[in-house]
Amino acid sequence: MAGITGEKIKIVTYDTSKIDFISPIKAALGLGKDEDLSQLHQKFSEEPLVTRETDSKTVIHRRYYENIGNTDFYNQYQHFVHNVVSNVIDGSLIVQRVPSFRVHLPNNKAVGEYHHDSDFGHQPGAINFWIPLTDAHDSNTIHVVSAESGGPKPVNVKYGEALAFDAINSLHGNEINRTGQTRISFDFRVVPERDYVESSQVSINTMARLALGDYYLHASEM
């Protein structure tokens, strides 16, 4: 997105009848097609309050990552990149190979701490796309600090919308979920090829090198 670092936050919409993320995620988690993702907490035992070190290691995460490759999710991801992201960001794109899956259970968090992505060595030109698969609102959504807000403010995003924002420079995180509903989302980073910088840094969760051929791939290769 030209000017994303100036805009900070942009919400874009997509057609859920053409890009279906929910069905493959339900399949990966062993849910029936009529089950409600916002009630996922009723299917799994309560997890301890997550920390930075444990926020991607719950039993739900393990089931997701073990099974998602056997679903249609990555075809849908490809469609999203080529039909939505490409209309938001100009030029050739470098894209996170495996999106990050998030679970925000009631009385818990989805990420362990507020942070800038630059704290963890991510590409300085990266733009984050954050996509909830349940309506995200109030205490179960992402909170972003901007110069205008002066403090963490919830960004309410509906299913069928995606939040594009500058996570490198914007402090972001979440609060304890007091809504009584589970929020399911995933997010990924996109780097305009013109801004890509070769890196030897590694992902703190997957230990993948934050570079082409490992953490990233060219969108044209999807």
Side-chain angles (χ1 to χ4, degrees), residues 197-212:
V197 178
E198 188 65 21
S199 175
S200 60
Q201 297 277 352
V202 297
S203 165
I204 57 173
N205 289 322
T206 66
M207 300 307 294
R209 191 167 65 93
L210 299 175
L212 274 168

Side-chain angles (χ1 to χ4, degrees), residues 173-186:
N174 55 233
E175 302 291 333
I176 299 290
N177 179 358
R178 305 296 187 190
T179 68
Q181 299 175 322
T182 295
R183 182 258 290 170
I184 299 293
S185 63
F186 70 91

